Amino acid sequence: MSVSDTEKDEIEKSSAPLMEHLIELRRRLIWSIGGFFVAFLVCFFFAKRLFNLLVIPFKWATQWAGLDPHKVELIYTAPQEFFFTQVKLAMFGGMVIAFPLIATQIYKFIAPGLYKNERNAFLPFLIASPILFLMGASLVYFFFTPMVMWFFLAMQQAGTNDQVQISLLPKVSEYLSLIMTLIFSFGLVFQLPVVTSLMTRVGMLSSKALVEKRRWAIVIAFVVAAVLTPPDPMSQIGLAIPTILLYEVAIWSARLIERSKERDRLAREKQDAAAEVAEKAADASSTQAPS
């Protein structure tokens, strides 16, 4: 079956925008990967300083436990362990630092396909997402990590005639995995208002549905906390309670968005009604005018 010239023209016209989108996607990927690579190199160069910064909550925990914070000691049992720990820390820090750039590139890629009101609606959530993530990470750093480490330090046992001495000597890789898991878990949970607000704005969710599913949300919050956090009740409860509070914030945010959408709908109906009345008045005046 031969292809006509008209069909060939249609294929070429349809392939041109596709190639433009692919070129634009490649440009955005290059910027995102390049930004992450630069941030990774910077974090790897300062990896030891960053790790010492992450150990500060451990020192706070030793003070809470009545121990000397200057004697905090971490170990590594394999020659390459601390090196790969620094690489892992650099990757995590690079992703956190490069996230605003990556999110901006994603927004610039999808923005041309959105209406102006959709872009204006999406932009506040793009700004709120990293702010909420930093709030969750700060909560982990300043409160929950010291609390979790204090809980583990309390399990130490002093050596006497009847019992052996049991001391906590965390491995550098395990300590980093612990604090990274907590930061990622809390940062992810703190995105709940952003996700629910976006779903409410596009009509996929409503405040009524969120209220009806509140009991299930409480159960799921404790289940997710048990999966994402270490197996101790303090950190699990510490993640579940903020999740439930953020769910209530999500309900309040959904109600605000619904009220805003209702006001916009009424304003549009009023404008349409006024335009219809003006059009009828213009038609009536034109028909009554003398020929």
Side-chain angles (χ1 to χ4, degrees), residues 144-145 147-152 155 178 182 225-239:
F144 282 102
T145 298
M147 183 183 66
V148 170
M149 295 308 299
W150 171 79
F151 177 81
F152 291 144
M155 296 182 179
L178 172 64
L182 288 173
V227 173
L228 294 179
T229 59
D232 66 278
M234 298 185 68
S235 59
Q236 293 174 3
I237 295 174
L239 178 58

Side-chain angles (χ1 to χ4, degrees), residues 15-81:
S15 62
L18 177 61
M19 292 302 298
E20 292 177 0
H21 288 311
L22 291 176
I23 293 173
E24 179 70 12
L25 178 61
R26 184 185 64 178
R27 180 162 56 250
R28 300 304 174 191
L29 286 174
I30 290 174
W31 273 101
S32 300
I33 296 174
F36 167 75
F37 184 70
V38 172
F40 168 80
L41 292 178
V42 173
C43 290
F44 185 76
F45 182 78
F46 296 102
K48 288 186 178 180
R49 296 183 182 180
L50 292 175
F51 191 85
N52 289 327
L53 188 65
L54 294 177
V55 175
I56 292 177
F58 190 12
K59 294 182 178 181
W60 293 339
T62 58
Q63 290 180 337
W64 295 359
L67 304 174
D68 186 4
H70 300 289
K71 294 183 178 180
V72 171
E73 182 180 0
L74 287 84
I75 63 172
Y76 61 96
T77 57
Q80 73 280 6
E81 181 180 346

Side-chain angles (χ1 to χ4, degrees), residues 3-287:
V3 181
S4 63
D5 294 338
T6 304
E7 292 175 344
K8 288 181 179 179
D9 293 338
E10 291 178 355
I11 293 174
E12 291 177 356
K13 290 179 181 179
S14 61
S15 62
L18 177 61
M19 292 302 298
E20 292 177 0
H21 288 311
L22 291 176
I23 293 173
E24 179 70 12
L25 178 61
R26 184 185 64 178
R27 180 162 56 250
R28 300 304 174 191
L29 286 174
I30 290 174
W31 273 101
S32 300
I33 296 174
F36 167 75
F37 184 70
V38 172
F40 168 80
L41 292 178
V42 173
C43 290
F44 185 76
F45 182 78
F46 296 102
K48 288 186 178 180
R49 296 183 182 180
L50 292 175
F51 191 85
N52 289 327
L53 188 65
L54 294 177
V55 175
I56 292 177
F58 190 12
K59 294 182 178 181
W60 293 339
T62 58
Q63 290 180 337
W64 295 359
L67 304 174
D68 186 4
H70 300 289
K71 294 183 178 180
V72 171
E73 182 180 0
L74 287 84
I75 63 172
Y76 61 96
T77 57
Q80 73 280 6
E81 181 180 346
F82 189 45
F83 171 77
F84 285 112
T85 299
Q86 294 180 70
V87 172
K88 188 177 180 180
L89 176 59
M91 292 180 65
F92 183 76
M95 182 58 67
V96 172
I97 295 175
F99 176 78
L101 174 63
I102 296 173
T104 302
Q105 296 303 314
I106 295 174
Y107 175 75
K108 288 183 177 180
F109 179 72
I110 65 175
L114 301 176
Y115 293 107
K116 184 178 180 180
N117 59 340
E118 293 175 337
R119 291 196 297 269
N120 294 334
F122 185 77
L123 190 58
F125 298 107
L126 187 64
I127 299 173
S129 182
I131 293 176
L132 289 174
F133 184 88
L134 290 177
M135 290 175 60
S138 300
L139 189 63
V140 169
Y141 186 85
F142 291 103
F143 181 69
F144 282 102
T145 298
M147 183 183 66
V148 170
M149 295 308 299
W150 171 79
F151 177 81
F152 291 144
L153 284 169
M155 296 182 179
Q156 292 185 124
Q157 179 175 283
T160 62
N161 294 331
D162 299 329
Q163 59 188 18
V164 298
Q165 180 173 348
I166 301 176
S167 302
L168 175 63
L169 291 176
K171 295 173 62 177
V172 291
S173 58
E174 293 175 350
Y175 179 78
L176 180 64
S177 296
L178 172 64
I179 195 168
M180 283 176 54
T181 300
L182 288 173
I183 290 175
F184 178 77
S185 302
F186 277 76
L188 188 65
V189 167
F190 269 64
Q191 303 303 312
L192 181 62
V194 174
V195 175
T196 54
S197 298
L198 282 173
M199 295 177 68
T200 303
R201 185 170 290 278
V202 299
M204 297 176 59
L205 199 62
S206 65
S207 60
K208 182 179 179 181
L210 291 173
V211 172
E212 292 175 351
K213 303 298 182 182
R214 180 184 279 124
R215 294 181 180 179
W216 286 102
I218 295 173
V219 175
I220 294 174
F222 280 96
V223 173
V224 172
V227 173
L228 294 179
T229 59
D232 66 278
M234 298 185 68
S235 59
Q236 293 174 3
I237 295 174
L239 178 58
I241 292 177
T243 304
I244 296 171
L245 294 177
L246 287 169
Y247 189 84
E248 297 298 326
V249 173
I251 294 175
W252 174 76
S253 177
R255 287 172 176 169
L256 291 180
I257 292 174
E258 289 173 347
R259 292 172 185 171
S260 177
K261 292 173 66 176
E262 182 65 18
R263 286 196 299 267
D264 293 341
R265 185 185 65 83
L266 293 175
R268 286 195 302 269
E269 290 180 354
K270 187 176 180 180
Q271 290 178 356
D272 294 340
E276 186 177 354
V277 170
E279 185 178 355
K280 289 181 179 180
D283 293 340
S285 61
S286 63
T287 54

